[in-house]
Amino acid sequence: MKIFKHIQQLLWVTACICLTAVSAFAADIQLNDLRCEMLVNPQGIDVTVPRLSWKMTGTGRGIEQTAYEVLVASSPAKLAAGQGDLWTSGKVASNASIMVSYAGKALTSRMAAYWKVKVYTTKGQSAWSTPAKWSMGLLLLSDWKGKWIGWEKGFAWDSIAKFSRLSARYYRKEFASAAKVKRAMVYISGPGHYELYVNGKYISNDVLTQMPTDYNKSVQYTTYDVTPNVKPGKNAIGAVLGNGRYFTMRPIYKPKKVKEFGFPKLLLQLDIEYEDGHHQIVASDQSWRMTADGPIRSNNEYDGEEYDSNKELTGWNRIDYNAAKWLTPQLVPAPPGKLVAQMSEPIKVMSTIKPQKLTQLKPGTWIMDMGQNMTGWLKFNVKGKKGDKVTLRFAETLQKDGSLYIANLRDAKVTDIYTLKGAAQETWHPVFVFHGFRYAEITGYPGKPKAEDFVGEMVYDDLATIGQFETSNKVIDQVYQNTWWGVAGNYKGMPVDCPQRNERMPWLGDRATGSLGESFIFDNQKLYAKWMDDIEQSQTAEGAIPDVAPAYWNYYSDNMTWPATYILLADMEYKQFGDIRPAQKHYASMKKWLDYMKAKYMKDYIVTKDKYGDWCVPPESPELIHAKDSSRTTNGQLLATAYYHRMLFLMKRFAKMFGKEEDAKEFGALQSKIADAFNAKFYNAQTQQYDNGTVTANLLPLYFDITPVANRKAVFANIVKRVTTTDNYHIATGVIGTQWLMRGLTEYGRPDLAYRLATNKDYPSWGYMAEHGATTIWELWNGDTANPSMNSGNHVMLLGDLVVWYYQNLAAIKAGIDKPGFKQVIMKPTLPEGLDFVKASYQTPYGLVKSSWKKGSNFTWDVSIPANSVALISVPSKAADAVTEGGKKAAEAEGLKFVKFDNGYAVYEAGSGDYHFRSSL
């Protein structure tokens, strides 16, 4: 009998071990995909107390860990010999298999740590896993021997103006290496972007490196293992610097709005450890050489990249290149921000897309249709004369005459230019920009371009897609697919609002509940933990949090709704990934913000400040961006006060977790006073609704537990009346209301209304977007008719809690409140009339959860629960005894325990394993 199929160790390193016998059980165990501090590439971390995680999956039922044993060693040999010289945990009685804190010797700069784990379970024990490793970065400023180098002005061919043009900077250094290299590590920071080469080889497949931050607060560095690249004898190391968010090319005409940091600069340190024990450091200083007179003549995220192949510096990153005419770089001031290791996934080319159509618009002008709104760039082959210029411009939609529609791009030029050198065949793509587009205009291409000469490269953070979702409804499936493309395309080291126009900003309000929905699709834990750092670093001394973080735009509007994302992210990290550290780390900052808002804007327990309202409700006229009809808009003070109450609820829970009982009491007392004041000010006893009765005005107090129990039925009835009558079964909420809408309707007993909103195909609806050609999510419900100043075709803010509803309600995959991170899975499917099946899976921190149900004459449901996790499964049924599992009465099945029959659901506790339910409805 095979009890275990796998056990996975989580350090993002795959490893396998052999079959072993334990007591009476045979365990086929694999310990793989190890994680240390949840990193994709665990090189150069600066967390001194890493957390280790592992997964177990198996074919049996009820597999639960009872103990673990971890060994951490300073070398592979010591680990193989069972010598945990850094940490020997011993056998620890615990079912914890995620976020287990390292408790060994102090970790120091550059140290490599090798580890393995053994687990003990209710079904036996595993063998030791195959080892994995992590390495430490440079923990102290004194560890850095390199100096910041750069050039603090533009060159003759550059232009520092409203639409600045700044060329890339090229740096090189030759050095000699001894014969036997044991380990060679590069630590590099090059804000805004860089490419790194050793002996002519690009040393990673990362793109758009490094991660964007407020460089006045923090500057990230990345560590690369270049041991195979360093050769005995002469070597060359080279770096190219692009502009990214460091030199943004816009603040010169909007200095009060747009933050600027200066000219790109480089800090690099190559540490070489030899077999004989001695070390060598190659560091950035004035012994390096630099030039900006290379092929990348300009690079700007908004405007595009210009590349002249006639200026290529052939061999510049290899040995024996003649750099006599290059410059000696300047020693430049370090950015003010603290150097920190990059802990989130890098950006990569994640997929390629073939063009679907190529049409000649007029002589010399071609329009390419990718068939999908995407984010990235075009890579192409071309053959022509020296000096020919191929120009590419990008857009999301076309005008009626077939030309690009660019009015919604504002002043972004979104243009790439490639100048040919006249070779037999030339291949090119930009490296320091990205575009949001479905269509590309091609001009200057020699001869007739062919679709097969072009490929779209999709660029976003290297996040695993961990959720799969499919239903019998084509509208839902198309909207889900559009969501995937929209979310992925807007991950750029931070979540940005859009990828195409002159904005691309990390707006907080766009990702409030959206981040929770996204976490069912992508493994976004590290991305959002990094973004929480960005938010805290943007907080003012007084406590204000901006609407955009990092605060590249100076928008400190003192809203409740947008900055509330900060606390909602902490809640998401804990619920979805079982990670309490972000809430711990940011607790003081989050509390400081609430104190600031209370002191400055709370009067008689009503928060008086709001700027955006329920942003982007469907307007009364197709050309409008925002509704002017007051019956459609929601009182800003109502929004702000309701959100303050909700944030207190979350903070009270965090305070209790952290043993801050006094804080918890204060939060609770303030909640009560706010609820009383809220109801006194906004509730109309005669109409039994809040304020002017919009769906959002009624929904927030109801969902946030502000509405007294006695009034809830009537308030919800008003929501139903508004949706069904005034709004004719269509959505009428904006960014704020939509974040709670689908769950609110469902939890109060009207999943049919939620399903109707999710499957509508006419205006306004998500389905309307898809029916009108959208392959991502629009910024506006009327994005095809509104004024072009704000109708991005790739935004995600209007998704609200739709994806959350897909997974938690339709697919019945929800994390338990008291056992977060899916230690407990709550499974209670919503079965709307007209939906015949749902098939979904989700890779939780404990392993894969599967949920696949069908309804017809009977209801069938296949469920998989990962090892070391449990589930509370509610099976729809007409009676408790009408449920079978695996052909027998469910109450008698292995691994199941009947709990109760509750309002049409037979409820069972279940251990891990695969289950097949059948019931009569």
Side-chain angles (χ1 to χ4, degrees):
M1 175 183 178
K2 290 187 177 181
I3 300 301
F4 300 116
K5 185 179 180 182
H6 313 348
I7 295 179
Q8 293 183 309
Q9 264 183 313
L10 306 180
L11 183 62
W12 294 99
V13 177
T14 300
C16 299
I17 64 174
C18 303
L19 186 70
T20 185
V22 182
S23 300
F25 301 99
D28 180 10
I29 302 170
Q30 294 180 340
L31 289 169
N32 52 32
D33 192 25
L34 280 70
R35 302 191 188 199
C36 164
E37 203 54 34
M38 312 305 282
L39 296 173
V40 169
N41 179 15
Q43 302 281 8
I45 69 172
D46 59 8
V47 173
T48 56
V49 183
R51 294 169 296 173
L52 312 178
S53 301
W54 52 91
K55 289 181 183 177
M56 296 170 282
T57 62
T59 55
R61 291 186 178 181
I63 301 171
E64 185 175 2
Q65 179 183 295
T66 58
Y68 65 81
E69 191 171 353
V70 174
L71 283 182
V72 184
S74 59
S75 71
K78 288 182 178 179
L79 190 66
Q83 300 173 19
D85 60 324
L86 296 180
W87 184 32
T88 301
S89 72
K91 185 177 179 180
V92 179
S94 171
N95 65 1
S97 58
I98 68 170
M99 310 290 181
V100 175
S101 294
Y102 170 82
K105 293 181 180 178
L107 300 170
T108 58
S109 295
R110 308 179 184 86
M111 177 183 288
Y114 304 83
W115 72 288
K116 59 184 179 181
V117 64
K118 178 194 295 185
V119 298
Y120 304 81
T121 79
T122 50
K123 303 296 184 179
Q125 73 181 59
S126 76
W128 285 106
S129 68
T130 296
K133 65 171 284 191
W134 78 86
S135 68
M136 303 303 295
L138 302 181
L139 303 181
L140 304 174
L141 191 58
S142 59
D143 293 325
W144 285 93
K145 306 306 177 186
K147 296 180 173 61
W148 284 97
I149 57 176
W151 197 263
E152 293 291 88
K153 60 181 179 179
F155 289 84
W157 49 88
D158 294 328
S159 173
I160 313 302
K162 176 179 177 179
F163 298 102
S164 299
R165 299 178 71 258
L166 190 71
S167 50
R169 281 101 189 276
Y170 297 76
Y171 294 82
R172 72 181 311 274
K173 167 74 175 179
E174 291 193 17
F175 64 94
S177 169
K180 295 183 178 180
V181 175
K182 180 180 179 181
R183 185 168 176 250
M185 309 292 288
V186 169
Y187 309 89
I188 178 173
S189 182
H193 296 316
Y194 65 81
E195 290 190 312
L196 176 65
Y197 297 84
V198 176
N199 291 322
K201 179 177 175 58
Y202 187 53
I203 55 81
S204 78
N205 57 357
D206 303 350
V207 300
L208 298 176
T209 310
Q210 62 194 39
M211 295 295 100
T213 58
D214 181 337
Y215 305 104
N216 291 331
K217 303 296 177 64
S218 67
V219 181
Q220 296 199 341
Y221 71 90
T222 310
T223 305
Y224 297 102
D225 187 339
V226 295
T227 305
N229 305 91
V230 177
K231 309 299 181 185
K234 294 171 66 175
N235 292 266
I237 188 168
V240 191
L241 298 188
N243 299 316
R245 294 294 175 119
Y246 200 77
F247 185 89
T248 60
M249 304 189 180
R250 283 296 190 274
I252 195 165
Y253 76 108
K254 290 187 177 180
K256 292 183 179 180
K257 174 183 176 180
V258 182
K259 184 174 290 188
E260 225 265 287
F261 302 96
F263 291 92
K265 54 192 64 178
L266 174 69
L267 177 68
L268 183 147
Q269 186 163 313
L270 167 61
D271 284 13
I272 305 173
E273 179 184 358
Y274 292 100
E275 292 285 354
D276 63 8
H278 84 274
H279 288 257
Q280 177 184 1
I281 291 179
V282 179
S284 52
D285 58 22
Q286 287 190 293
S287 68
W288 287 53
R289 305 291 286 171
M290 69 87 63
T291 185
D293 196 10
I296 301 178
R297 308 308 288 177
S298 179
N299 62 101
N300 178 334
E301 186 173 309
Y302 300 141
D303 297 335
E305 186 166 306
E306 298 179 26
Y307 188 97
D308 185 349
S309 62
N310 298 286
K311 302 290 291 186
E312 287 177 346
L313 307 165
T314 305
W316 72 273
N317 49 20
R318 298 180 181 274
I319 62 172
D320 297 328
Y321 177 79
N322 183 2
K325 294 183 179 180
W326 286 32
L327 302 170
T328 299
Q330 299 169 344
L331 295 181
V332 297
K338 179 183 178 182
L339 271 172
V340 295
Q342 178 180 316
M343 302 292 286
S344 57
E345 295 89 345
I347 302 171
K348 296 180 184 293
V349 174
M350 298 295 289
S351 64
T352 58
I353 304 169
K354 294 181 179 179
Q356 297 300 301
K357 189 177 181 181
L358 185 60
T359 304
Q360 187 173 24
L361 182 65
K362 59 184 179 180
T365 301
W366 300 80
I367 299 295
M368 178 172 290
D369 180 3
M370 304 304 294
Q372 171 64 54
N373 199 12
M374 59 170 287
T375 304
W377 51 60
L378 280 179
K379 179 179 180 179
F380 64 89
N381 301 318
V382 63
K383 182 179 179 181
K385 301 189 301 294
K386 180 178 181 178
D388 284 348
K389 290 180 184 289
V390 178
T391 299
L392 307 175
R393 287 200 308 157
F394 301 88
E396 295 179 306
T397 55
L398 299 178
Q399 300 189 74
K400 291 182 179 180
D401 65 358
S403 63
L404 298 184
Y405 175 78
I406 60 173
N408 66 328
L409 305 181
R410 302 171 182 171
D411 67 5
K413 297 181 182 299
V414 296
T415 301
D416 293 338
I417 300 174
Y418 177 76
T419 302
L420 279 69
K421 60 191 171 207
Q425 178 172 289
E426 303 175 43
T427 301
W428 181 79
H429 65 79
V431 294
F432 292 139
V433 303
F434 66 87
H435 305 286
F437 68 103
R438 173 173 173 170
Y439 301 96
E441 176 195 83
I442 306 167
T443 58
Y445 191 94
K448 181 180 179 181
K450 295 178 293 184
E452 55 265 33
D453 288 327
F454 293 79
V455 64
E457 295 192 326
M458 178 71 171
V459 174
Y460 62 95
D461 295 25
D462 186 15
L463 305 184
T465 296
I466 57 176
Q468 301 292 333
F469 183 81
E470 180 185 358
T471 75
S472 61
N473 186 277
K474 292 182 179 180
V475 173
I476 288 178
D477 287 0
Q478 184 63 54
V479 171
Y480 183 82
Q481 179 177 316
N482 291 0
T483 298
W484 187 97
W485 283 95
V487 172
N490 283 301
Y491 282 157
K492 292 294 178 293
M494 57 186 177
V496 297
D497 63 333
C498 62
Q500 76 294 92
R501 67 188 182 207
N502 67 343
E503 188 170 1
R504 312 182 191 201
M505 285 292 157
W507 287 93
L508 273 68
D510 292 25
R511 305 301 176 120
T513 299
S515 62
L516 175 60
E518 293 164 21
S519 71
F520 280 105
I521 304 175
F522 295 99
D523 185 2
N524 60 15
Q525 180 190 9
K526 287 80 67 184
L527 171 73
Y528 278 111
K530 180 263 182 189
W531 198 38
M532 288 186 71
D533 291 341
D534 292 332
I535 295 170
E536 181 172 359
Q537 290 167 15
S538 299
Q539 188 173 33
T540 67
E542 294 78 16
I545 290 175
D547 302 331
V548 175
Y552 298 124
W553 284 2
N554 185 27
Y555 281 5
Y556 286 83
S557 303
D558 283 351
N559 286 284
M560 276 301 305
T561 50
W562 260 238
T565 299
Y566 190 25
I567 298 176
L568 292 171
L569 288 174
D571 184 54
M572 182 276 287
E573 292 274 357
Y574 178 64
K575 283 180 179 176
Q576 295 295 98
F577 299 105
D579 190 359
I580 195 60
R581 188 175 284 181
Q584 290 174 321
K585 182 178 183 180
H586 297 280
Y587 178 87
S589 177
M590 295 186 296
K591 184 176 183 292
K592 182 179 181 180
W593 171 62
L594 288 177
D595 290 343
Y596 166 81
M597 292 298 292
K598 176 186 174 184
K600 193 167 183 179
Y601 297 110
M602 188 177 289
K603 182 177 181 181
D604 297 329
Y605 301 106
I606 299 295
V607 181
T608 60
K609 179 67 186 298
D610 178 76
K611 178 178 180 179
Y612 299 120
D614 193 14
W615 187 253
C616 291
V617 298
E620 61 273 18
S621 181
E623 78 280 356
L624 291 177
I625 292 174
H626 299 295
K628 297 180 179 180
D629 179 0
S630 61
S631 69
R632 294 171 178 262
T633 60
T634 303
N635 187 317
Q637 292 189 12
L638 183 152
L639 297 173
T641 307
Y643 259 67
Y644 200 104
H645 184 276
R646 182 66 174 183
M647 297 309 106
L648 288 172
F649 165 77
L650 296 175
M651 289 296 289
K652 181 172 67 175
R653 193 173 66 192
F654 289 142
K656 289 180 177 179
M657 289 180 190
F658 306 149
K660 298 179 181 291
E661 294 300 331
E662 288 302 314
D663 281 1
K665 289 179 182 178
E666 290 179 12
F667 293 146
L670 185 55
Q671 262 190 296
S672 297
K673 292 176 180 177
I674 289 174
D676 290 343
F678 185 97
N679 285 304
K681 181 175 179 64
F682 298 115
Y683 185 70
N684 186 322
Q686 290 184 327
T687 62
Q688 297 180 308
Q689 66 183 20
Y690 286 90
D691 203 67
N692 64 344
T694 65
V695 171
T696 299
N698 285 317
L699 177 63
L700 295 190
L702 190 66
Y703 199 83
F704 293 173
D705 202 25
I706 298 172
T707 306
V709 174
N711 298 341
R712 291 178 184 176
K713 185 176 180 179
V715 171
F716 185 68
N718 269 305
I719 293 175
V720 172
K721 181 179 179 182
R722 177 73 187 239
V723 172
T724 57
T725 304
T726 307
D727 302 324
N728 192 28
Y729 291 91
H730 283 77
I731 198 161
T733 51
V735 169
I736 303 304
T738 309
Q739 293 178 24
W740 317 95
L741 178 64
M742 304 298 283
R743 291 171 294 173
L745 291 173
T746 302
E747 291 172 22
Y748 276 87
R750 292 302 303 268
D752 58 313
L753 289 184
Y755 183 69
R756 178 74 176 267
L757 299 183
T759 55
N760 280 335
K761 294 191 288 186
D762 56 341
Y763 176 81
S765 66
W766 296 287
Y768 173 83
M769 301 178 192
E771 285 289 300
H772 286 73
T775 59
T776 45
I777 304 297
W778 292 347
E779 182 177 15
L780 303 173
W781 298 109
N782 57 334
D784 58 337
T785 59
N787 186 303
S789 64
M790 197 179 94
N791 58 2
S792 158
N794 191 353
H795 257 65
V796 295
M797 67 182 188
L798 288 181
L799 283 169
D801 67 348
L802 181 65
V803 178
V804 182
W805 183 75
Y806 284 166
Y807 277 90
Q808 291 187 348
N809 294 93
L810 295 187
I813 301 175
K814 183 179 181 181
I817 295 175
D818 298 323
K819 296 179 179 179
F822 295 87
K823 181 69 173 173
Q824 181 191 51
V825 189
I826 306 298
M827 309 192 76
K828 184 178 181 180
T830 296
L831 310 180
E833 188 68 31
L835 190 65
D836 298 325
F837 75 83
V838 171
K839 183 178 182 180
S841 66
Y842 178 58
Q843 188 65 244
T844 78
Y846 292 92
L848 190 65
V849 173
K850 293 182 180 180
S851 174
S852 178
W853 60 257
K854 295 180 182 179
K855 64 176 181 174
S857 56
N858 292 295
F859 174 81
T860 60
W861 191 12
D862 291 318
V863 170
S864 296
I865 308 300
N868 209 30
S869 186
V870 296
L872 192 65
I873 301 176
S874 298
V875 183
S877 178
K878 65 181 181 182
D881 60 1
V883 181
T884 63
E885 192 287 309
K888 63 176 67 174
K889 290 184 178 181
E892 300 173 0
E894 178 192 0
L896 292 179
K897 177 184 176 182
F898 178 72
V899 177
K900 60 182 177 180
F901 187 77
D902 181 28
N903 195 27
Y905 288 89
V907 184
Y908 302 88
E909 289 181 354
S912 67
D914 299 325
Y915 299 88
H916 176 73
F917 295 99
R918 180 182 292 271
S919 67
S920 299
L921 297 176

